[in-house]
Amino acid sequence: MFTLTRWRRAAAAAAGLTLAAGFFTAGCGAPADADALTAGQRNCTITTSVGRIAGVTAGNLCTYKGIPYAAPPTGDNRFRPPQPAARWKGTLRASDGSRVCPQYADPSSEDYPSNQKVFTNEDCLYLNVWAPKSGRTHRPVIVYIHGGAAIFGNANEARYDGSTLATTGDAIVVTLNYRLGVLGWTELGGLDPKYRGSGNNGLRDQIAALTWIRQHVADFGGDPGNVTAVGESEGAFSLSAMLATDHPQRLFHRAILESGTGYLDRSASLEKKNTASFFATTGIKSIGQLRALSTVQLLGLQEKALEASAGAIGRATYFGAYVDGTLVKAPTIDRVSQGNARGIDLIVGSNRDEFRYFAQFDPRVLSITQPQYSVVFPTVLAKQRAAMVAAYQGARPGASEGDIVLAMINDQAMRVPATRLAAAQSRFARSYVYQFDWAPNNAKSLGAIHTAELPFVFGTLRFTGIPGGAEALQSDRTRIAALSKQMVTAWTTFARTGNPGDRWPTYRTSTRATMIWNYSPTVVNAPRDTERALWNGYTFPAVDLNT
């Protein structure tokens, strides 16, 4: 497969923040006497069972940034499951929106809170809250889990600002960090049984955050009995994995999966293969070796392992949730089909041109060939592959080989698994399917690519990583803002009621109603159904290359 230069990062040194006494690091929100608070902070101060928290006034909202939901995953906690955050004395001034879990910065695709080239502070398990000021209680709660291939991303990106969602939906909005890369998603049980399960520690971080939210969100005015979890890309894969854990209803009551389902969670065999590859490439042979490494050294070894992986697909599936049989009991589609997520209302969807996103980092993506596609094409469908290719070509006269391959990958990885998951869950709760079709109408545009819906559903209209997006906003702001308003309304209405609106019917296999998001949102029954049906012979288990 092609290699994406976006992930090639030379190792860089950076100074980490020094741990201060207690549970906070230099520069983060720290306990303070109530007398030291400003008037705006006093107006946004709440009391929880772990301590008082002072937020910041932002219009009609209170914002709380940098609340620890778990103990720092440092020292003895490194590579361990998240531990409870300690209580604090005094009042925590929650105004620190700088936390980013360790990663090499990729500002072309992420919207970082600073211009650092590398982030090295492992004390990063913090969340942010946006809450309307009025004294109302039992507001719906919207929790967002960011994407980034379990390598990039953070809760403090400006494009994930929760102000519009909180205001429009009269809701409590939460964003959260979780450990990335080798620190959160490498299975170390083979080196030491005490570390068994470490390959899903990033998922455990997210579960710990959702548990903290359930325990404390009422203090912010939220309803712990009405939590909607939203994830995009890796965040959606993670939420899908949670649907395969025992009693996911304990964590959230509704879910919105944007461009990601359990199909791209990894199988146990792929996790084992990736772990073996990491050890072989880096020369790591013991837990002691890993624990002795600095954060910068770990990131360097991580990059070395990613460089040795099988191109873009290998990188995209190297880290992330996997079916371990203990936490994630079985592939998501299997567990959902059995009713494991009973009662959890669902919105799931994809973007029309997801994988053209990567062409901004490597133009060769647009020229991908059928032989290159063989790396991930399901072997169970090999005998009918020629007929499938012919069908996709017939529906796209004049399309290039690259266009056909990208359309097939889009259906295999995103669109068809979304319809399959919605159909399975429709027996046990309300399910809705969408396709996002908006694309910039200018020369820079790559189409309705991966992440293109994010500026719209958050209402921030920040087009980081979307070529031509900023130019489209400048030339067509009125229509873009109107589409965003409709999507924000649908997402928040769903969070409040479980129904995104009367114009959007539930998904049934008899009709396959799909909301097409564009300047004039329209429901279409069974869009491109002939192509969808070509995949009927594939079960969409957890991903394992060449199976």
Side-chain angles (χ1 to χ4, degrees):
M1 286 294 292
F2 45 82
T3 299
L4 299 187
T5 56
R6 69 170 296 224
W7 281 302
R8 291 182 172 171
R9 297 287 181 262
L17 298 178
T18 303
L19 279 175
F23 300 89
F24 302 94
T25 58
C28 83
D33 293 332
D35 291 343
L37 300 176
T38 66
Q41 288 173 325
R42 286 194 294 272
N43 290 336
C44 289
T45 297
I46 63 167
T47 300
T48 75
S49 62
V50 291
R52 286 171 62 81
I53 305 174
V56 175
T57 296
N60 293 323
L61 301 175
C62 291
T63 65
Y64 306 84
K65 295 187 177 182
I67 303 173
Y69 68 81
T74 57
D76 289 341
N77 288 337
R78 200 188 216 188
F79 304 116
R80 297 283 195 176
Q83 300 300 308
R87 290 177 53 87
W88 55 82
K89 296 180 180 180
T91 301
L92 173 67
R93 287 179 290 186
S95 57
D96 176 22
S98 67
R99 295 302 178 122
V100 176
C101 285
Q103 60 190 276
Y104 290 123
D106 189 352
S108 63
S109 64
E110 306 298 330
D111 202 1
Y112 293 101
S114 72
N115 60 1
Q116 290 176 237
K117 294 183 178 180
V118 59
F119 295 88
T120 60
N121 192 354
E122 294 183 37
D123 179 11
C124 62
L125 300 186
Y126 294 79
L127 54 78
N128 307 318
V129 179
W130 288 260
K133 272 187 181 179
S134 73
R136 227 186 109 220
T137 60
H138 293 87
R139 288 184 167 94
V141 181
I142 301 171
V143 182
Y144 178 71
I145 301 176
H146 71 77
I151 304 171
F152 301 111
N154 69 95
N156 291 306
E157 299 195 29
R159 60 177 169 174
Y160 303 150
D161 185 286
S163 299
T164 299
L165 287 171
T167 301
T168 301
D170 193 28
I172 307 300
V173 177
V174 185
T175 62
L176 60 96
N177 282 338
Y178 56 93
R179 280 173 284 182
L180 303 171
V182 67
L183 287 163
W185 305 97
T186 297
E187 181 53 58
L188 304 176
L191 295 180
D192 186 338
K194 295 178 182 178
Y195 289 82
R196 185 170 291 122
S198 60
N200 272 328
N201 276 346
L203 188 66
R204 288 184 171 87
D205 292 346
Q206 297 167 18
I207 291 172
L210 285 162
T211 301
W212 192 97
I213 291 163
R214 183 187 68 213
Q215 294 169 342
H216 301 292
V217 77
D219 299 324
F220 297 88
D223 181 359
N226 186 12
V227 175
T228 297
V230 185
E232 187 271 339
S233 194
E234 190 63 51
F237 305 153
S238 294
L239 288 176
S240 296
M242 289 183 213
L243 294 178
T245 64
D246 287 340
H247 311 298
Q249 299 85 351
R250 76 196 189 284
L251 301 173
F252 48 83
H253 311 88
R254 301 185 176 101
I256 302 176
L257 307 182
E258 300 173 22
S259 300
T261 67
Y263 169 54
L264 289 185
D265 288 329
R266 298 166 301 156
S267 65
S269 59
L270 182 56
E271 167 64 22
K272 184 177 180 179
K273 174 184 175 183
N274 287 349
T275 300
S277 170
F278 178 79
F279 294 150
T281 303
T282 63
I284 294 295
K285 296 181 180 178
S286 71
I287 292 291
Q289 281 181 282
L290 273 177
R291 290 193 55 179
L293 294 171
S294 69
T295 310
V296 168
Q297 288 172 321
L298 273 176
L299 288 174
L301 290 183
Q302 175 179 304
E303 182 62 22
K304 182 178 180 180
L306 288 170
E307 287 289 348
S309 64
I313 299 299
R315 287 172 175 275
T317 59
Y318 205 93
F319 295 114
Y322 85 101
V323 181
D324 59 6
T326 302
L327 178 63
V328 185
K329 292 295 182 67
T332 296
I333 191 66
D334 294 349
R335 293 279 272 170
V336 168
S337 296
Q338 296 161 4
N340 189 65
R342 184 184 302 272
I344 296 177
D345 298 320
L346 177 69
I347 290 177
V348 59
S350 61
N351 298 354
R352 186 190 62 212
D353 308 304
E354 297 270 6
F355 289 88
R356 293 176 65 88
Y357 169 89
F358 298 104
Q360 64 187 300
F361 312 110
D362 188 340
R364 290 174 295 176
V365 169
L366 301 178
S367 302
I368 183 174
T369 65
Q370 287 290 343
Q372 289 174 316
Y373 179 28
S374 296
V375 174
V376 293
F377 186 82
T379 55
V380 70
L381 298 178
K383 292 183 178 179
Q384 64 190 69
R385 182 172 176 180
M388 293 176 70
V389 172
Y392 276 83
Q393 288 176 328
R396 297 165 179 78
S400 68
E401 180 180 11
D403 290 338
I404 299 303
V405 172
L406 289 173
M408 294 179 71
I409 292 177
N410 214 71
D411 280 2
Q412 178 187 340
M414 297 292 186
R415 186 177 78 98
V416 180
T419 65
R420 197 75 60 88
L421 182 61
Q425 184 64 352
S426 68
R427 297 171 51 208
F428 307 104
R430 290 172 288 191
S431 297
Y432 304 87
V433 170
Y434 76 85
Q435 178 174 300
F436 186 78
D437 274 13
W438 177 88
N441 184 23
N442 56 55
K444 293 185 178 180
S445 177
L446 289 170
I449 61 172
H450 195 58
T451 78
E453 86 288 354
L454 290 173
F456 294 87
V457 300
F458 275 94
T460 57
L461 303 185
R462 293 180 66 92
F463 287 87
T464 303
I466 305 169
E471 292 80 2
L473 179 63
Q474 186 174 11
S475 64
D476 207 1
R477 176 179 286 272
T478 299
R479 290 201 298 168
I480 286 175
L483 174 57
S484 174
K485 183 177 180 179
Q486 292 178 83
M487 295 189 74
V488 167
T489 298
W491 263 232
T492 55
T493 300
F494 176 77
R496 186 171 60 253
T497 68
N499 181 344
D502 294 339
R503 293 179 53 243
W504 190 348
T506 56
Y507 191 83
R508 302 288 180 185
T509 55
S510 57
T511 56
R512 300 190 184 277
T514 302
M515 175 63 80
I516 308 297
W517 288 108
N518 210 328
Y519 286 132
S520 298
T522 305
V523 172
V524 176
N525 287 338
R528 292 175 41 223
D529 207 48
T530 298
E531 292 169 17
R532 179 204 59 78
L534 294 171
W535 300 91
N536 283 347
Y538 189 50
T539 60
F540 291 97
V543 71
D544 193 350
L545 303 185
N546 288 116
T547 61

